[in-house]
Amino acid sequence: MLEVEGVSAGYRGSDVVRDVSFHVDEGETVMIIGSNGAGKTTLFRAVCGLLPPSSGEVRFLGEDITGLPAQKVVRRGLAFVPAERHLFPQMTVEENLMLGAYPEKPDPDTLETVLELFPRLGERFRQLAGTMSGGEQQMLAVGRALMSQPRLLVLDEPTTGLAPIVARNAYAALERLREQGLTILVAEQQVPLALAVSDRGYVLENGAIGLAGTSAELASDPRVRSAYLGVV
Amino acid sequence: MTASILDGIVLGLQFGVLAAGLTLVYGLGGVLNLAYGQIAVVSGLVTLLTMEAGVPAVPAALIGLVAGGALGLIFDLTILQPVYRRHGEARVLLSLLLTLGAAFVIDGYLNWRYPLRGLNLRITGDPLVVFGVRMRMGSVVASGITIVVIGVLYWLFRYTRLGRAIRSVIQDEEGSRLVGIDPQLMMRLILVLSGVLAAIVAITRSMVAPVNVRAGFSLTVLGLIVTVVGGLGSIPGAFLAGLVLGIINSVASSYIGTFLSLIILLVAAAITIVIRPTGLLGVRE
């Protein structure tokens, strides 16, 4: 579904990620793990069209989307939820969700699914997004992305700034989306949480893929265990 | 007193529309358009010339609105292109310089080609009594049009998908791209809207007093004062500040004198900014 080949990207001419290749197949949940500054965010920005890659190719649903601006990428079915969420703080939950469906009218069934997944959003429907807690804002960011009825949901560190219990709830929601058959790509530092819901994973180190494998393989790899799972 | 407050409200509504056109462009794209008043003047002049060609006032005014919108679009497609390639403070500065240049060019041309011309849409009819005050028909019609425009703007931004999309770009440009909105396209639409608003101000203003071809800079300055007092980028702020300053201006004119009203307006603006640096309803920074 998504093929990333030899992508390099960065800012002001210096590449943060170099020659990165990975792929996500239909129905899979794939994680990219890496520490702070490994280049996860840069890589995702390059994939979803917020940052044109300096070289390489991104293909989505068989079509070349390299360098396509983010507003066009999302209309093709690739929805991105950035770590900073980028909600519209002075708008209500309802308005944020409506905008998720832009330029179409919001689909009532999709809205119902989102509110079923996050009942909290229904309770806060008329509240301004900027006044909600971090966990609620994360729900809204995912909900807004789902309103575009994406084929692939890309999440950058969905647990940033969330308390451990809220982070676990966020992953419980992802698990449900996965069971409904949605294809998911997620970058995460909280590796134990992400490992539990994903099929495969890649380890990004200093801007390059260092390791790849199924979640079980990664979980038993001594390097992953010592660097990300806190097991010596 | 009632009479000058009522006059102030009439003026304030127009101030609000004037400032809304400036504040939207700033809020959306970080662009300050110093040729805004000139767009108003050119629209007024187009209306005047169309009427002189024998077209009745209402269709001529509509042509004036189209001219305002077209000028906004031309700005977007030409001198603002290099502005869009910069970000933050550099963008604001370059937009100031380039639009100021455009304002000088337009002003120079108008003064050379159409000196001393002005649009004066006299509206005849008996004065109307509002709250015990006799209002000239021109003021009543101008206020009616302005109130309808404000209502349309409110409906557009509150209830339509397009209005919501425009507000989303003001609040978080990257977020708007992630939901599929093209900020560049929204900016283009807003410049057209801003041009139309400038034209509406020129046309409604000319129902109360003539708008001559040299009014460009004073319209821009008035718009800027109202915008800053209301809070840069805030549409409700523009209308609130418009009403407050309109009433101050009109009360000061009748009790102190017209020659001092602009100074009093500036002092009122300065005091507001000192007390609330973000303006009445500003949210940024």
Side-chain angles (χ1 to χ4, degrees):
Chain A
M1 177 175 260
L2 177 74
E3 290 109 38
V4 173
E5 269 186 35
V7 160
S8 301
Y11 306 91
R12 289 187 208 92
S14 79
D15 286 338
V16 177
V17 292
R18 290 172 308 279
D19 198 20
V20 169
S21 302
F22 68 93
H23 68 97
V24 180
D25 293 331
E26 176 117 42
E28 269 190 318
T29 296
V30 174
M31 64 168 178
I32 307 265
I33 60 182
S35 52
N36 236 339
K40 301 187 296 296
T41 300
T42 308
L43 178 62
F44 277 15
R45 287 174 67 86
V47 167
C48 78
L50 285 171
L51 175 75
S54 52
S55 62
E57 197 178 85
V58 181
R59 275 193 311 276
F60 180 59
L61 300 171
E63 283 177 76
D64 187 2
I65 59 161
T66 319
L68 198 68
Q71 58 266 30
K72 294 201 173 134
V73 171
V74 63
R75 291 191 191 182
R76 293 193 181 206
L78 191 163
F80 178 48
V81 181
E84 321 81 61
R85 300 175 192 127
H86 287 288
L87 294 170
F88 308 121
Q90 307 289 320
M91 290 195 211
T92 62
V93 169
E94 180 184 17
E95 289 177 304
N96 271 274
L97 290 175
M98 300 268 177
L99 276 165
Y102 191 87
E104 308 296 331
K105 263 209 184 99
D107 174 52
D109 293 342
T110 312
L111 183 62
E112 202 173 302
T113 319
V114 168
L115 294 180
E116 243 164 59
L117 185 65
F118 302 117
R120 206 54 189 268
L121 295 182
E123 295 163 22
R124 304 272 152 123
F125 212 46
R126 310 249 179 242
Q127 193 174 328
L128 293 184
T131 64
M132 296 201 302
S133 73
E136 290 164 346
Q137 291 195 13
Q138 182 59 37
M139 292 175 197
L140 180 54
V142 174
R144 187 180 72 179
L146 291 175
M147 288 303 290
S148 69
Q149 299 176 293
R151 302 282 302 273
L152 171 65
L153 182 66
V154 180
L155 302 119
D156 187 16
E157 303 209 7
T159 56
T160 304
L162 299 189
I165 180 145
V166 184
R168 275 200 293 281
N169 288 339
Y171 269 92
L174 284 191
E175 177 65 41
R176 286 219 293 288
L177 286 173
R178 179 195 184 196
E179 282 162 7
Q180 289 167 16
L182 187 65
T183 313
I184 301 171
L185 172 64
V186 55
E188 192 52 271
Q189 288 188 63
Q190 308 235 26
V191 177
L193 277 176
L195 268 177
V197 303
S198 49
D199 304 299
R200 287 189 300 117
Y202 298 85
V203 180
L204 192 66
E205 282 169 335
N206 296 319
I209 299 278
L211 204 62
T214 65
S215 295
E217 285 164 8
L218 290 176
S220 58
D221 187 281
R223 281 169 293 174
V224 173
R225 287 169 73 88
S226 69
Y228 301 101
L229 298 178
V231 184
V232 185
Chain B
M1 192 69 180
T2 320
S4 27
I5 289 179
L6 216 54
D7 273 345
I9 292 173
V10 171
L11 188 65
L13 291 172
Q14 289 177 341
F15 279 3
V17 174
L18 182 70
L22 270 181
T23 215
L24 275 171
V25 170
Y26 179 80
L28 200 72
V31 168
L32 266 175
N33 181 6
L34 291 185
Y36 184 59
Q38 274 74 16
I39 295 182
V41 166
V42 170
S43 313
L45 185 68
V46 168
T47 307
L48 174 71
L49 296 176
T50 312
M51 281 168 70
E52 282 178 357
V55 178
V58 173
L62 291 178
I63 291 172
L65 299 187
V66 172
L71 264 178
L73 181 63
I74 292 170
F75 270 58
D76 176 79
L77 294 174
T78 57
I79 61 169
L80 291 180
Q81 286 301 319
V83 173
Y84 296 147
R85 285 195 283 275
R86 325 232 157 176
H87 296 278
E89 223 162 278
R91 177 182 287 194
V92 181
L93 271 178
L94 190 66
S95 73
L96 285 175
L97 289 174
L98 290 178
T99 56
L100 185 62
F104 281 135
V105 170
I106 296 172
D107 246 25
Y109 178 76
L110 293 180
N111 274 317
W112 165 62
R113 191 75 179 73
Y114 303 97
L116 304 176
R117 298 304 304 275
L119 179 64
N120 190 4
L121 290 175
R122 236 181 247 110
I123 292 187
T124 51
D126 293 329
L128 212 69
V129 178
V130 183
F131 298 117
V133 176
R134 286 162 63 86
M135 301 274 294
R136 276 181 304 159
M137 207 55 206
S139 292
V140 174
V141 173
S143 303
I145 294 173
T146 310
I147 289 169
V148 168
V149 168
I150 294 170
V152 169
L153 285 178
Y154 184 79
W155 167 80
L156 173 74
F157 285 110
R158 179 73 27 196
Y159 296 110
T160 69
R161 249 174 288 165
L162 178 65
R164 223 180 271 135
I166 291 168
R167 281 195 293 143
S168 80
V169 180
I170 296 175
Q171 293 183 21
D172 193 314
E173 184 171 331
E174 191 156 308
S176 72
R177 293 184 61 195
L178 289 174
V179 299
I181 295 163
D182 182 352
Q184 208 63 52
L185 180 66
M186 295 299 139
M187 186 66 182
R188 187 158 296 161
L189 291 175
I190 277 303
L191 270 158
V192 172
L193 177 65
S194 153
V196 172
L197 291 176
I200 288 171
V201 170
I203 289 162
T204 55
R205 200 72 212 121
S206 74
M207 297 175 181
V208 182
V211 175
N212 74 45
V213 295
R214 288 193 294 184
F217 279 113
S218 53
L219 282 172
T220 306
V221 169
L222 263 179
L224 280 176
I225 293 171
V226 179
T227 302
V228 171
V229 169
L232 271 171
S234 164
I235 313 166
F239 286 111
L240 180 63
L243 279 178
V244 170
L245 294 176
I247 292 170
I248 289 176
N249 184 71
S250 156
V251 171
S253 294
S254 55
Y255 288 88
I256 303 168
T258 316
F259 60 99
L260 276 181
S261 68
L262 186 63
I263 294 175
I264 289 167
L265 209 59
L266 284 168
V267 170
I271 292 171
T272 317
I273 304 303
V274 169
I275 297 170
R276 268 189 75 88
T278 51
L280 294 175
L281 298 181
V283 279
R284 290 199 156 192
E285 282 126 322

Coordinates of all heavy atoms in Angstrom, one line a residue, chain A residues 45 49-50 70-71 74-75 82 86 88-91 95 98-99 102-105 144, chain B residues 158 161-162 164-165 167-168 171-172 174-183 186 283:
Chain A
R45 N 7.1 13.4 7.9 CA 6.7 14.7 7.2 C 7.0 14.5 5.7 O 6.3 15.1 4.9 CB 7.5 15.9 7.8 CG 7.0 16.3 9.1 CD 7.8 17.4 9.8 NE 7.8 18.6 9.0 CZ 6.9 19.6 9.2 NH1 6.0 19.4 10.1 NH2 6.9 20.7 8.5
G49 N 3.9 14.6 2.8 CA 3.9 15.8 1.9 C 4.1 17.1 2.6 O 3.9 18.1 2.0
L50 N 4.4 17.1 3.9 CA 4.7 18.4 4.5 C 6.1 18.9 4.3 O 6.4 20.1 4.4 CB 4.5 18.3 6.1 CG 3.1 18.2 6.5 CD1 3.0 17.9 8.0 CD2 2.3 19.5 6.3
A70 N 0.8 18.1 1.2 CA 0.0 17.4 2.2 C -1.5 17.4 1.9 O -2.2 16.5 2.1 CB 0.4 17.9 3.6
Q71 N -1.9 18.6 1.5 CA -3.4 18.8 1.3 C -3.9 17.8 0.2 O -5.1 17.5 0.1 CB -3.8 20.2 1.0 CG -3.1 20.9 -0.2 CD -1.9 21.6 0.2 OE1 -1.2 21.3 1.1 NE2 -1.5 22.7 -0.5
V74 N -3.7 13.8 1.6 CA -4.7 13.4 2.5 C -6.0 13.0 1.7 O -6.7 12.1 2.0 CB -5.0 14.4 3.6 CG1 -5.5 15.7 3.0 CG2 -6.1 13.9 4.6
R75 N -6.2 13.7 0.6 CA -7.4 13.4 -0.3 C -7.2 12.1 -1.0 O -8.2 11.6 -1.5 CB -7.6 14.6 -1.3 CG -8.0 15.8 -0.6 CD -8.5 16.9 -1.6 NE -8.7 18.1 -0.9 CZ -9.2 19.2 -1.6 NH1 -9.5 19.1 -2.8 NH2 -9.3 20.4 -0.9
P82 N 0.1 14.4 13.4 CA 1.5 14.8 13.9 C 1.5 14.7 15.4 O 0.5 14.8 16.1 CB 1.7 16.2 13.4 CG 0.3 16.7 13.1 CD -0.6 15.6 12.9
H86 N -1.7 19.7 15.9 CA -2.2 20.7 15.0 C -3.7 20.8 14.8 O -4.2 20.8 13.7 CB -1.5 20.6 13.6 CG -0.1 21.0 13.6 ND1 0.4 22.3 13.7 CD2 1.0 20.2 13.5 CE1 1.7 22.3 13.7 NE2 2.1 21.1 13.6
F88 N -7.4 22.8 15.6 CA -7.8 24.2 15.5 C -8.3 24.6 16.9 O -9.5 24.3 17.2 CB -8.8 24.3 14.4 CG -8.4 23.7 13.1 CD1 -9.1 22.7 12.5 CD2 -7.2 24.1 12.6 CE1 -8.6 22.1 11.4 CE2 -6.7 23.5 11.4 CZ -7.4 22.5 10.8
P89 N -7.5 25.3 17.7 CA -7.8 25.4 19.1 C -9.0 26.3 19.4 O -9.7 26.0 20.4 CB -6.5 26.1 19.7 CG -5.9 26.7 18.5 CD -6.2 25.8 17.3
Q90 N -9.3 27.3 18.5 CA -10.5 28.1 18.8 C -11.8 27.6 18.2 O -12.7 28.3 18.1 CB -10.2 29.5 18.2 CG -9.0 30.2 18.6 CD -9.0 30.6 20.1 OE1 -10.0 31.1 20.6 NE2 -7.9 30.4 20.8
M91 N -11.7 26.3 17.8 CA -13.0 25.7 17.2 C -13.4 24.6 18.1 O -12.6 24.0 18.8 CB -12.7 25.2 15.8 CG -12.5 26.3 14.8 SD -12.6 25.6 13.1 CE -11.5 26.7 12.3
E95 N -16.5 21.2 15.1 CA -16.0 21.9 13.9 C -14.7 21.2 13.5 O -14.4 21.1 12.3 CB -15.7 23.4 14.2 CG -17.0 24.2 14.3 CD -16.7 25.6 14.7 OE1 -16.1 25.9 15.7 OE2 -17.2 26.5 13.9
M98 N -15.7 18.1 11.6 CA -16.2 18.5 10.3 C -15.1 18.8 9.3 O -15.2 18.4 8.2 CB -17.1 19.7 10.4 CG -18.2 19.6 11.4 SD -19.7 19.1 10.4 CE -20.9 18.9 11.7
L99 N -14.1 19.5 9.8 CA -13.0 19.9 8.9 C -12.2 18.7 8.5 O -11.6 18.7 7.4 CB -12.1 21.0 9.6 CG -12.6 22.4 9.5 CD1 -11.9 23.3 10.5 CD2 -12.4 22.9 8.0
Y102 N -13.2 17.7 5.2 CA -13.1 18.6 4.1 C -12.5 18.0 2.8 O -11.5 17.2 2.9 CB -12.2 19.8 4.6 CG -12.2 21.0 3.7 CD1 -13.1 22.0 3.8 CD2 -11.2 21.1 2.7 CE1 -13.1 23.1 2.9 CE2 -11.2 22.2 1.8 CZ -12.2 23.2 1.9 OH -12.2 24.2 1.1
P103 N -12.9 18.4 1.6 CA -13.9 19.3 1.3 C -15.3 18.7 1.2 O -16.3 19.4 0.8 CB -13.5 19.8 -0.1 CG -12.9 18.6 -0.7 CD -12.2 17.8 0.4
E104 N -15.5 17.5 1.6 CA -16.8 16.8 1.6 C -17.6 17.2 2.8 O -17.0 17.6 3.8 CB -16.6 15.3 1.5 CG -15.7 14.8 0.4 CD -16.2 15.1 -1.0 OE1 -17.4 15.2 -1.1 OE2 -15.4 15.3 -1.9
K105 N -18.9 16.9 2.7 CA -19.8 17.0 3.9 C -19.4 15.8 4.8 O -19.1 14.7 4.3 CB -21.2 16.8 3.5 CG -22.0 18.1 3.3 CD -23.5 17.8 3.6 CE -24.3 19.1 3.4 NZ -24.9 19.1 2.1
R144 N -10.3 13.4 13.9 CA -10.3 14.3 12.8 C -9.7 13.6 11.5 O -10.2 13.7 10.4 CB -9.5 15.6 13.1 CG -9.6 16.6 12.0 CD -8.8 17.9 12.4 NE -7.4 17.7 12.3 CZ -6.5 18.6 12.5 NH1 -6.8 19.8 12.9 NH2 -5.2 18.3 12.5
Chain B
R158 N -19.2 31.4 10.1 CA -19.7 30.5 11.2 C -20.3 29.2 10.7 O -20.2 28.2 11.2 CB -20.7 31.3 12.0 CG -21.4 30.7 13.1 CD -20.6 30.4 14.4 NE -19.5 31.4 14.7 CZ -18.5 31.1 15.5 NH1 -18.5 30.0 16.2 NH2 -17.6 32.0 15.7
R161 N -18.8 25.6 5.1 CA -17.5 24.8 5.1 C -16.3 25.6 4.6 O -15.2 25.5 5.2 CB -17.7 23.6 4.1 CG -17.8 22.3 4.8 CD -18.0 21.2 3.8 NE -19.4 21.3 3.3 CZ -19.9 20.6 2.2 NH1 -19.1 19.9 1.5 NH2 -21.1 20.7 1.9
L162 N -16.6 26.5 3.6 CA -15.5 27.4 3.2 C -15.0 28.3 4.3 O -13.8 28.5 4.5 CB -16.0 28.2 1.9 CG -15.0 29.2 1.4 CD1 -13.8 28.4 0.8 CD2 -15.6 30.0 0.3
R164 N -15.3 27.9 7.5 CA -14.6 27.1 8.5 C -13.2 26.8 8.0 O -12.2 26.9 8.8 CB -15.4 25.8 8.7 CG -15.5 25.4 10.1 CD -16.3 24.1 10.3 NE -17.7 24.3 10.4 CZ -18.6 23.6 9.7 NH1 -18.2 22.7 8.8 NH2 -19.9 23.9 9.9
A165 N -13.1 26.5 6.7 CA -11.7 26.2 6.2 C -10.8 27.5 6.3 O -9.6 27.3 6.7 CB -11.8 25.8 4.7
R167 N -11.1 29.9 8.5 CA -10.7 30.1 9.9 C -9.6 29.1 10.3 O -8.8 29.4 11.1 CB -11.9 30.0 10.8 CG -12.8 31.2 10.8 CD -13.8 31.1 12.0 NE -14.7 30.1 11.8 CZ -15.2 29.3 12.8 NH1 -14.8 29.5 14.0 NH2 -16.1 28.4 12.5
S168 N -9.7 27.9 9.8 CA -8.7 26.9 10.2 C -7.3 27.3 9.8 O -6.4 27.0 10.5 CB -9.1 25.5 9.6 OG -8.7 25.4 8.3
Q171 N -6.0 29.6 12.3 CA -5.7 29.1 13.6 C -4.5 28.1 13.5 O -3.7 28.1 14.4 CB -6.9 28.3 14.1 CG -8.0 29.3 14.5 CD -9.2 28.6 15.1 OE1 -9.0 27.5 15.6 NE2 -10.3 29.2 15.1
D172 N -4.3 27.3 12.4 CA -3.2 26.4 12.3 C -3.0 26.0 10.9 O -3.7 25.1 10.4 CB -3.4 25.2 13.2 CG -2.1 24.4 13.4 OD1 -1.5 24.1 12.4 OD2 -1.8 24.0 14.5
E174 N -0.6 24.5 9.3 CA -0.2 23.1 9.0 C -1.4 22.1 9.2 O -1.6 21.2 8.4 CB 1.0 22.7 9.9 CG 1.6 21.4 9.4 CD 3.1 21.3 9.9 OE1 3.8 22.2 9.6 OE2 3.4 20.3 10.5
G175 N -2.1 22.4 10.3 CA -3.3 21.6 10.6 C -4.3 21.6 9.4 O -4.9 20.6 9.0
S176 N -4.5 22.8 8.8 CA -5.4 22.9 7.7 C -4.9 22.1 6.5 O -5.7 21.5 5.8 CB -5.6 24.4 7.3 OG -4.5 24.9 6.7
R177 N -3.6 22.1 6.2 CA -3.1 21.3 5.1 C -3.4 19.8 5.4 O -3.7 19.1 4.4 CB -1.6 21.5 4.9 CG -1.3 22.9 4.5 CD 0.2 23.1 4.2 NE 0.6 22.2 3.2 CZ 1.9 21.9 2.9 NH1 2.9 22.4 3.7 NH2 2.2 21.1 2.0
L178 N -3.2 19.4 6.6 CA -3.4 18.0 6.9 C -4.8 17.5 6.8 O -5.1 16.3 6.6 CB -2.9 17.7 8.4 CG -1.4 17.8 8.6 CD1 -1.1 17.6 10.0 CD2 -0.7 16.7 7.7
V179 N -5.8 18.4 6.8 CA -7.2 18.0 6.5 C -7.6 18.3 5.0 O -8.7 18.0 4.6 CB -8.2 18.6 7.4 CG1 -8.0 18.3 8.9 CG2 -8.3 20.1 7.3
G180 N -6.6 18.7 4.2 CA -6.9 18.8 2.8 C -7.2 20.2 2.3 O -7.7 20.3 1.2
I181 N -6.9 21.2 3.1 CA -7.1 22.6 2.7 C -5.9 23.2 2.1 O -4.8 23.0 2.6 CB -7.6 23.4 3.9 CG1 -9.0 22.9 4.3 CG2 -7.7 24.9 3.5 CD1 -9.4 23.3 5.7
D182 N -6.0 23.9 0.9 CA -4.9 24.5 0.3 C -4.8 26.0 0.8 O -5.6 26.8 0.4 CB -5.0 24.5 -1.2 CG -3.9 25.1 -1.9 OD1 -3.0 25.7 -1.3 OD2 -3.8 25.0 -3.2
P183 N -3.8 26.3 1.7 CA -3.8 27.7 2.3 C -3.6 28.7 1.2 O -4.2 29.8 1.3 CB -2.6 27.6 3.2 CG -2.3 26.2 3.5 CD -2.8 25.5 2.2
M186 N -6.9 29.6 -0.3 CA -7.8 30.3 0.7 C -7.3 31.8 0.7 O -8.1 32.7 0.8 CB -7.6 29.7 2.1 CG -8.2 28.4 2.2 SD -10.0 28.3 1.8 CE -10.1 26.8 0.8
V283 N -5.7 37.4 19.9 CA -5.3 36.1 20.6 C -3.8 35.8 20.4 O -3.2 35.1 21.2 CB -6.1 34.9 20.2 CG1 -7.5 35.0 20.9 CG2 -6.4 34.9 18.7

